[in-house]
Each structure stands twice: as C-alpha cells, then as structure tokens.
C-alpha cells in the first residue's frame, strides 16, 4: 500500500500545504486519509488530489469549514452542481472587481507619470484621445457646500448606472462663463472605459488640445483659463467652447488639495 499511497508529508508536499492543514481537515471531518495503518500512519490516494484541490479552492473563496462539511456529509451530483453554481457567481463578481481594480491601477500609474513629467505653468499642445464620460449638470455658485452637494448628486448618477469608479471627478468650464474676475462650472464628469446607453453619457472628442498644468490645487484655475485664452488669441488659434478640468495628482501623491496638480485642457477647432 505504501507504494500506491502517499504519507501525510508526501501528500502535503504535492498539494503545497503543510501537514497541519491535513490534520485539521481530518479533525473537522471534511477530508480524511484513505486509510490509517496499524502504526497510526495516515495514507492518502492520488484519487483524493482533485477533492483536496476543490476544498482548497472553496476555502480560498472564503467558504466556511461548516459549509464544506455540510456538503461532504450530504454529497451528491445535484448538491455539487448547486454548490459550484453559487461559487461561480462569487468568482464572476471577484473577476469583475479585479478587472476594475487593474484598470484603475493602470490608469493611476499612467496619470501619475503624466503628473511627474508635467511642465507646470506652460501652455502646451497635446493630443488627447476621445473619452466616454458620465456627465451631471452643475448648478449654483462655486463654494464648498454647493460643490459637495453636486458631487454627491453626480456620484448617485454614476451609481444608478452601475458605475463605481475610483477615477477622479472632472469638471467642465464653458468659455462664455469666464470673465476677468470669475468663472463657473456647468457639469461634472467621470471618465468611463466604454459608452453606456444613457442620456448622462457623452463623448469628449479626441484631437489637438491646448493644455496647462498647475500644482497649486484649484487656486489658479481662473487665471490659467485666461492664460490659455490669451495664448490662443495671440497665436490665432480657434478653440471650442469648453475647458476640461482634471485632477492629475491628488491625496495619494500630494499632501492636501492645495497641492493637487490640476490639468486644464480645451480642444482646438
């Protein structure tokens, strides 16, 4: 029998676990050795490898020992299908979450590198690809209370469409709102990977943009809008009617919103 079976140590090594895990599973009655010799040695069969693999997978998914034991005590093909179906749904949710997390991390790395290399205070020409976004109207003055309310409304709009994205929320500033002393927002937006069927979804066209970066948070937004407009006028550049305000470096890489790196961009007609 020793030639066709594995000792506890050998089986544990095959499954990449420690022997204590096998002892624990045996004690709980969810996975036992195929036989125990007269000398007390436990022996496992190669036919048990798949069973152990599935149990390990269920444990990795957070399935409680008592739930696994309940299945093993009342196992049947139908019960297995039901158990697998329930875990299939959990795995699909985890995969979706991991995919969203990866996209966020990839985007955060890209944007942060952009922030590191950004020449602050200069008006630049930059090619920006098309962006799909969820857009919410902004009404009222630019003050902390109004901004907070409108942000909450925008996040609720995204949530209603099943969009839970950690991407920083941007804002739109129409050029006709920019005077010598003030400006105003008209919309908030969240960039999404793919367009969705909703009146709240719109696309910012790709193309050549005038861009300016500033590392003093929102303090210089108005001044920089004027700077870009003056630059365009002096160089005979015709612009579209909307500035896009994006946060490039936030609390994850700078201390306090007064040190955020803000990017203003406006499309060239």
């Amino acid at each position: 029998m020793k030639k066709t079976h594995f000792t506890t140590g050998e089986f544990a090594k095959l499954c990449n676990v420690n022997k204590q895990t096998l002892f624990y599973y045996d004690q709980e009655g969810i996975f036992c050795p195929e036989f125990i010799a007269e000398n007390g040695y436990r022996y496992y069969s190669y036919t048990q490898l798949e069973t152990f693999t599935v149990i390990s997978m269920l444990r990795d998914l957070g399935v409680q020992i008592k739930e696994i034991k309940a299945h093993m005590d009342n196992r049947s093909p139908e019960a297995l299908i039901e158990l697998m179906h329930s875990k299939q749904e959990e795995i699909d949710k985890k995969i979706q979450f991991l995919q969203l997390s990866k996209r966020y991390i990839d985007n955060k790395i890209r944007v942060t590198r952009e922030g590191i290399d950004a020449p602050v205070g200069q008006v630049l020409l930059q090619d920006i690809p098309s962006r799909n976004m969820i857009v919410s109207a902004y009404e009222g003055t630019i003050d902390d209370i109004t901004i907070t309310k409108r942000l909450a409304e925008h996040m609720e709009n995204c949530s209603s469409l099943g969009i839970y994205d950690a991407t920083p929320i941007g804002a739109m500033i129409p050029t006709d709102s920019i005077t010598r002393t003030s400006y105003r927002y008209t919309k908030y937006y969240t960039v999404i990977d793919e367009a969705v069927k909703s009146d709240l979804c719109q696309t910012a066209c790709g193309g050549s943009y005038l861009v300016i970066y500033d590392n003093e948070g929102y303090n210089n937004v108005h001044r920089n809008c004027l700077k870009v407009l003056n630059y365009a006028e002096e160089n005979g550049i015709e612009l579209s009617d909307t500035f896009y305000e994006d946060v490039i470096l936030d609390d994850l890489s700078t201390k306090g919103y007064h040190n955020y790196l803000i990017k203003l961009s406006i499309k060239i007609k």
Side-chain angles (χ1 to χ4, degrees):
M1 295 296 291
K2 291 181 181 179
K3 294 180 180 179
T4 57
H5 286 69
F6 304 100
T7 65
T8 301
E10 291 169 339
F11 195 82
K13 186 175 181 180
L14 281 174
C15 299
N16 197 29
V17 297
N18 59 54
K19 293 192 294 183
Q20 295 305 316
T21 298
L22 294 176
F23 291 144
Y24 176 62
Y25 286 177
D26 185 14
Q27 179 183 330
E28 294 296 323
I30 65 171
F31 186 77
C32 306
E34 188 165 280
F35 78 94
I36 300 177
E38 293 180 359
N39 59 6
Y41 277 49
R42 292 170 163 80
Y43 288 95
Y44 295 85
S45 168
Y46 71 90
T47 61
Q48 294 180 281
L49 284 169
E50 184 179 2
T51 301
F52 183 83
T53 299
V54 173
I55 291 174
S56 295
M57 178 194 69
L58 293 174
R59 291 293 291 145
D60 288 341
L61 288 172
V63 181
Q64 299 296 317
I65 288 290
K66 62 181 181 180
E67 186 179 353
I68 298 175
K69 187 176 188 308
H71 170 75
M72 298 303 288
D73 289 344
N74 300 278
R75 72 190 83 170
S76 70
E78 293 76 16
L80 177 62
I81 289 174
E82 183 178 350
L83 179 63
M84 292 295 103
H85 268 314
S86 67
K87 301 313 163 190
Q88 190 177 52
E89 293 176 1
E90 291 182 22
I91 290 172
D92 288 341
K93 290 179 180 179
K94 287 179 181 290
I95 289 173
Q96 183 181 24
F97 173 76
L98 289 172
Q99 288 174 336
L100 289 172
S101 298
K102 185 180 185 306
R103 285 202 296 268
Y104 172 76
I105 290 172
D106 290 344
N107 182 66
K108 201 65 177 176
I109 291 172
R110 178 185 61 78
V111 171
T112 302
R113 283 177 175 161
E114 177 185 350
I116 292 172
D117 297 333
V120 173
Q122 299 179 31
V123 179
L124 310 167
L125 181 65
Q126 191 176 98
D127 287 329
I128 297 178
S130 297
R131 299 187 293 174
N132 298 306
M133 53 183 65
I134 301 302
V135 176
S136 304
Y138 186 102
E139 299 175 356
T141 57
I142 301 178
D143 59 80
D144 289 345
I145 294 176
T146 305
I147 288 173
T148 301
K149 288 181 178 178
R150 300 298 174 253
L151 280 171
E153 291 170 359
H154 176 70
M155 293 172 72
E156 287 176 4
N157 286 338
C158 291
S159 177
S160 70
L161 296 172
I163 296 169
Y164 306 93
D165 204 326
T167 303
I169 297 172
M172 297 184 192
I173 304 170
T175 54
D176 60 12
S177 77
I178 302 169
T179 68
R180 288 296 172 186
T181 58
S182 65
Y183 68 99
R184 63 182 173 85
Y185 296 132
T186 56
K187 295 176 181 177
Y188 274 140
Y189 62 85
T190 294
V191 177
I192 56 177
D193 291 325
E194 297 179 358
V196 296
K197 292 183 178 179
S198 170
D199 294 337
L200 298 175
C201 184
Q202 69 180 57
T203 301
C205 296
S208 296
Y209 282 70
L210 287 186
V211 171
I212 189 168
Y213 296 91
D214 190 271
N215 58 4
E216 295 185 20
Y218 300 95
N219 293 335
N220 300 320
V221 169
H222 178 243
R223 186 184 71 182
N224 285 328
C225 284
L226 291 175
K227 186 174 182 178
V228 172
L229 291 176
N230 290 336
Y231 178 91
E233 184 178 357
E234 291 171 1
N235 290 275
I237 300 173
E238 187 177 1
L239 301 174
S240 64
D241 58 3
T242 303
F243 274 97
Y244 295 93
E245 176 192 274
D246 292 289
V247 179
I248 303 300
L249 300 181
D250 55 19
D251 273 329
L252 290 171
S253 51
T254 61
K255 293 183 179 180
Y257 71 92
H258 291 297
N259 295 310
Y260 283 7
L261 182 72
I262 303 297
K263 176 182 179 180
L264 288 172
S265 58
I266 184 169
K267 190 175 188 302
I268 298 173
K269 282 188 176 180

